[in-house]
Amino acid sequence: MKKILIILSLILVKSMVFSQDIDLYNIKKDDNITSPKIPSTMSFNEFQLLSQNLRMKDMMYAIIVPGYVHFKAKENKTAYTLLTLRTASYIGLGASYFSSKARGDKWYSGLINSKDNTNNIQITEDWSVKKSDVVVVASMVTIFSTYLYDWIHGQYKLQKKQNMIRYKYGIKLKLEQNLSSNIKFSPALGLSVKF
């Protein structure tokens, strides 16, 4: 188990340090140079939300930073909740690991055929599970589920907010275009006198 975690962490570090972002689509313009037409009533926060894109590197960042996608979508309450849950899970894994090492036990042993009730939870008459194993499994499930929730739900919330902003300013721009197209200008001659 230790070797698998080391290999996975080395792959993760290597991919973050030595690789570039992977694009699965063609980029037709340079967003850093092109200045978009921004409506005068649009706030900076709305502009920031419209400019956010989720990419492959964001998946990797979301593994390391709990709630990363929700922070990007400006959903801070959900992001901090995910951060708290995953941090508590990491603490549970660490506590389970160090307590098992202090007792000289294996870190995770699963179901065991034992009637010893000191540190175990009895499942049946013959089978029991260690309390630390329950903590390990609960922590791992919480880590993976918070990551998936962060990625899937965060992406949904970001896209929903972007669509709401596009809809809001799309209607305003359409109204402005209709008003400006209804006003007819005709040539006229004027005279002004100032004293």
Side-chain angles (χ1 to χ4, degrees), residues 40-98:
S40 60
T41 56
M42 182 181 281
S43 69
F44 179 70
N45 193 23
E46 290 173 328
F47 178 73
Q48 247 185 340
L49 278 170
L50 277 179
S51 301
Q52 297 291 346
N53 291 322
L54 290 178
R55 306 175 76 170
M56 296 289 282
K57 68 179 180 179
D58 293 322
M59 285 181 92
M60 297 304 245
Y61 294 158
I63 292 172
I64 296 170
V65 180
Y68 177 80
V69 180
H70 280 85
F71 281 122
K72 253 186 136 166
K74 307 280 186 207
E75 291 284 323
N76 291 338
K77 185 176 179 182
T78 306
Y80 281 117
T81 302
L82 293 172
L83 177 68
T84 303
L85 285 172
R86 203 175 317 167
T87 302
S89 298
Y90 288 140
I91 290 170
L93 280 177
S96 171
Y97 176 77
F98 288 117

Side-chain angles (χ1 to χ4, degrees), residues 9-61:
S9 58
L10 287 175
I11 290 171
L12 179 66
V13 168
K14 181 196 173 290
S15 67
M16 289 182 61
V17 173
F18 297 112
S19 66
Q20 296 179 359
D21 194 14
I22 299 168
D23 287 326
L24 301 176
Y25 51 88
N26 290 332
I27 298 175
K28 305 226 187 243
K29 66 176 184 160
D30 188 358
D31 291 337
N32 295 327
I33 295 174
T34 306
S35 180
K37 294 179 184 176
I38 303 169
S40 60
T41 56
M42 182 181 281
S43 69
F44 179 70
N45 193 23
E46 290 173 328
F47 178 73
Q48 247 185 340
L49 278 170
L50 277 179
S51 301
Q52 297 291 346
N53 291 322
L54 290 178
R55 306 175 76 170
M56 296 289 282
K57 68 179 180 179
D58 293 322
M59 285 181 92
M60 297 304 245
Y61 294 158

Side-chain angles (χ1 to χ4, degrees), residues 60 67 89 108 110 117 121 126 136-137 148 158 194:
M60 297 304 245
S89 298
Y108 178 77
N117 288 338
I121 298 171
D126 296 330
V136 168
V137 169
L148 290 175
L158 179 63
K194 293 187 180 180

